[in-house]
Amino acid sequence: MISLVLLIIPAIICWLVMSQLDSLNQPQKTLLAKVGDECAGIADNAVANMSAVVEFQKLEIQGRKINVMRRCMRDKGFSENPSWLAYATPVAHANAIKQSISEDEAIENLRREHMMIFKQSSQQPIYWIHQS
């Protein structure tokens, strides 16, 4: 019995040390990633019990989810990045022509897609910016 304990104790110590090292190697989440994940969860919960049968109901659910996301992020000090809007306007114009939709609808579609991205990219400006 004692020999079993003597084998288990070093294994536990080794496991604790390895888990600490793993947590140190994990990149820390940015404030945007933390807040974004939290608000995305709140938005998902806001529509979790809603069901849709027809397309109009699906759009209503999607709109509610995005509205909750916007309000939550605003409450946490984030707003739409003006650099993102400058980037997205010509993209939305091209999408509007290609998809035969209005520019307003095209920019809103881009907003809904990009507001759920919480990691900086070298290809485009991030949607959310923190207001200090």
Side-chain angles (χ1 to χ4, degrees), residues 2 9 24-25 36 49 60 62 77-78 84 89 106-107 113 115 119:
I2 293 176
I9 290 175
L24 292 175
N25 290 334
N49 294 328
E60 286 288 321
Q62 182 185 33
F78 286 88
W84 178 87
T89 301
I107 195 79
E113 178 184 339
M115 73 172 44
K119 190 174 183 180

Side-chain angles (χ1 to χ4, degrees), residues 36-87:
D37 287 345
E38 181 183 337
C39 288
I42 291 169
D44 285 339
N45 288 339
V47 297
N49 294 328
M50 300 175 77
S51 61
V53 177
V54 294
E55 191 63 31
F56 176 78
Q57 292 170 322
K58 293 175 186 176
L59 292 173
E60 286 288 321
I61 291 170
Q62 182 185 33
R64 179 175 180 171
K65 181 178 177 178
I66 294 302
N67 187 38
V68 170
M69 183 71 184
R70 281 184 179 135
R71 288 185 303 171
C72 180
M73 292 298 285
R74 185 183 62 230
D75 290 348
K76 306 274 186 195
F78 286 88
S79 63
E80 184 177 88
N81 183 355
S83 298
W84 178 87
L85 186 58
Y87 155 82

Side-chain angles (χ1 to χ4, degrees), residues 90-118:
V91 174
H93 177 74
N95 288 350
I97 292 170
K98 189 181 343 176
Q99 299 170 6
S100 299
I101 58 176
S102 71
E103 286 191 37
D104 288 337
E105 183 177 356
I107 195 79
E108 187 62 24
N109 290 340
L110 282 174
R111 276 189 179 105
R112 290 177 178 197
E113 178 184 339
H114 289 213
M115 73 172 44
M116 302 306 284
I117 299 171
F118 309 121

